[in-house]
Amino acid sequence: MTRLRQIMLEELERRNYAPSTIGAYLRTVEHFARYFRCPPDRLGTEHIRQYQAAMFRTWKLSPNTVTQRLAALRFLYIQVLQRGWSVAETPYPKKVLRLPQILSQQEVARLIDAAEPPFHRVLLMTLYATGARRAEVARLKITDIDSERMVVHIRGGKGRKDRDVMLSPALLDELRAYWRGLKKKPTDWLFPGNKWHTANRPVTTKVLWMACQQAAIRAGLEDRNIHPHTLRHCFATHMLEAGADLRTIQILLGHRDLEETTIYLHLSNKHLSATASPLDRLTLTSRRTTPRND
């Protein structure tokens, strides 16, 4: 590990950045240095501008990814190298808001029923029943399932925030069946890693991703690009359609800002169909033209 990388790692850890963010920032700086074949402390504003252009032109990265990489370089230059940073010369790209893919409740049921082996089934049920992120589900501990209060404790979620979500009775039954089927009972993690689920570490997030992908193929939904976050979006949208208010959904999802949660208003069939188009309020003269035969 180079001295510069060690200093950056220490500065990120001192500020209590999430491990995933630390990894992403370090990888960005390494890629930046490899691209110019030069140590990053010898590169300046013009190199950052060239790198930003290449992210769009050469690698076709999304605006959100470009923003994250620029944030990593900004941290390097301000916090590690103690240099200035000009937003005017290296502006953040405009954000692009794309509506996420949503499945109907019937399609979610098809997806879960198609999951094999049973371990994948309980993972998908947990994702949908809690609305948790895949990393949050992977890191659930046995003690996080509170059957007395019927809540699931999400520890150290995004932004290092804890929160509680409801524990579905159907999910509790599935978890108990899963527990009875384990040959070796875990002592810490709810979903232990390795093939036999006996490791002293949690399952990887890749396993949750593959569980979604394989179940989607079996359910005939492979063209829908389903991944773990899809079930989180479905959780929020279906909650909204069932009558839950946005503030409650915000708390359950662990969103910092209510504006993040309002995206589900665009996805809820209940809210879209309940709003009439202004065209329906106009009084128009009935005039239908008959196509002419030329």
Side-chain angles (χ1 to χ4, degrees), residues 24 33 44 65 70 84 93 109 141 148 205 212 217 231 244 252 260 270 291:
T65 302
L70 286 176
K141 294 187 175 182
E148 290 292 325
T205 57
C212 284
I217 293 172
L231 294 176
L252 292 173
E260 294 181 70
K270 177 182 177 181

Side-chain angles (χ1 to χ4, degrees), residues 14-168:
R14 283 178 55 217
R15 289 164 176 77
N16 200 29
Y17 276 59
S20 58
T21 304
I22 292 175
Y25 276 29
L26 292 175
R27 286 192 297 272
T28 293
V29 173
E30 289 172 2
H31 187 264
F32 178 60
R34 285 200 307 271
Y35 181 68
F36 290 104
R37 299 180 181 178
C38 183
D41 55 350
R42 291 167 56 187
L43 301 172
T45 302
E46 183 58 35
H47 298 98
I48 298 172
R49 291 175 59 188
Q50 293 177 29
Y51 186 71
Q52 183 177 7
M55 284 191 277
F56 281 114
R57 187 188 312 120
T58 306
W59 305 309
K60 312 295 182 184
L61 301 181
S62 70
N64 291 342
T65 302
V66 173
T67 296
Q68 185 193 52
R69 292 199 176 189
L70 286 176
L73 295 179
R74 185 176 184 272
F75 185 94
L76 168 71
Y77 279 85
I78 294 178
Q79 305 297 341
V80 180
L81 300 178
Q82 303 292 312
R83 296 184 190 173
W85 178 275
S86 173
V87 176
E89 294 186 25
T90 52
Y92 288 126
K94 291 183 178 180
K95 291 184 178 180
V96 177
L97 178 61
R98 290 190 173 90
L99 295 180
Q101 179 82 254
I102 293 296
L103 304 177
S104 68
Q105 288 182 299
Q106 293 76 17
E107 288 173 325
V108 172
R110 279 172 54 193
L111 182 75
I112 293 173
D113 282 339
E116 293 180 11
F119 183 65
H120 283 187
R121 177 184 173 88
V122 73
L123 289 178
L124 298 190
M125 289 185 70
T126 305
L127 285 166
Y128 179 65
T130 63
R133 301 173 180 91
R134 58 174 172 160
E136 294 169 343
V137 169
R139 293 198 302 266
L140 282 175
K141 294 187 175 182
I142 299 168
T143 52
D144 291 332
I145 307 302
D146 188 343
S147 58
E148 290 292 325
R149 296 178 54 221
M150 292 302 288
V151 297
V152 178
H153 304 294
I154 307 294
R155 312 286 187 184
K158 190 173 182 180
R160 299 295 180 93
K161 294 186 295 184
D162 295 351
R163 69 184 190 279
D164 287 349
V165 300
M166 74 287 278
L167 174 57
S168 156

Side-chain angles (χ1 to χ4, degrees), residues 196-217:
W196 300 275
H197 315 301
T198 56
N200 191 26
R201 55 177 171 75
V203 69
T204 65
T205 57
K206 184 178 179 180
V207 173
L208 282 89
W209 185 281
M210 293 304 300
C212 284
Q213 297 286 299
Q214 293 171 9
I217 293 172

